[in-house]
Amino acid sequence: MFLLRLDDACEYRDIAKWDRIEKLLDSYNIKPIVALIPECCDSDFLSRYPKDEKFWQKANLWSKKGWTIALHGLKHQFHNCDGGLNPVNKYSEFLGLDLENQKRKIAEGIKKCKKYGIS
């Protein structure tokens, strides 16, 4: 068994590439995990891609097709850190924050997803 995770699903993404991979996955009946950013504020994404006004409709469609929607942070805004248990990067949205701030961010992300029908 393999797990496939599509990273950084948000309102600001390369829609053509996402549509292409979606068609490919559907043709093989592959149901990936979609790592969703509920409130993307990542300046790299915002400067590179136009806002997809239909993003939440698309996310609901993925969910209805049996794709697993996973929370991928809240805003995708990073701060420097030591890399933690898996030091692939030296930045993180959560690592180094106290537990209460981490819980708050997770709760905000869940609330935003629920607002658009994603659980």
Side-chain angles (χ1 to χ4, degrees), residues 7-13 35-47 55-56 70-79 91-95 97 101-113:
D7 204 23
D8 299 337
C10 64
E11 294 170 306
Y12 299 90
R13 68 196 190 292
L36 189 143
I37 306 164
E39 195 176 309
C40 186
C41 295
D42 186 321
S43 59
D44 287 341
F45 291 12
L46 274 65
S47 65
F55 170 73
W56 290 100
L71 189 63
H72 182 45
L74 174 63
K75 298 182 180 224
H76 215 251
Q77 289 181 310
F78 306 121
H79 61 273
Y91 51 87
S92 172
E93 183 172 358
F94 287 91
L95 195 60
L97 295 180
N101 274 320
Q102 290 184 43
K103 286 180 179 180
R104 179 188 53 75
K105 284 183 167 222
I106 292 168
E108 284 180 40
I110 291 169
K111 183 178 178 181
K112 177 105 183 210
C113 288

Side-chain angles (χ1 to χ4, degrees), residues 23-88:
K23 285 179 185 175
L24 180 65
L25 294 173
D26 287 347
S27 73
Y28 290 99
N29 197 31
I30 296 172
K31 300 184 183 322
I33 298 168
V34 178
L36 189 143
I37 306 164
E39 195 176 309
C40 186
C41 295
D42 186 321
S43 59
D44 287 341
F45 291 12
L46 274 65
S47 65
R48 201 177 324 168
Y49 308 113
K51 184 175 183 179
D52 178 5
E53 299 294 341
K54 296 182 180 181
F55 170 73
W56 290 100
Q57 292 168 310
K58 177 62 84 170
N60 272 286
L61 176 65
W62 295 332
S63 182
K64 288 176 183 163
K65 290 196 295 187
W67 293 20
T68 300
I69 308 298
L71 189 63
H72 182 45
L74 174 63
K75 298 182 180 224
H76 215 251
Q77 289 181 310
F78 306 121
H79 61 273
N80 292 331
C81 65
D82 66 3
L85 294 174
N86 185 17
V88 174

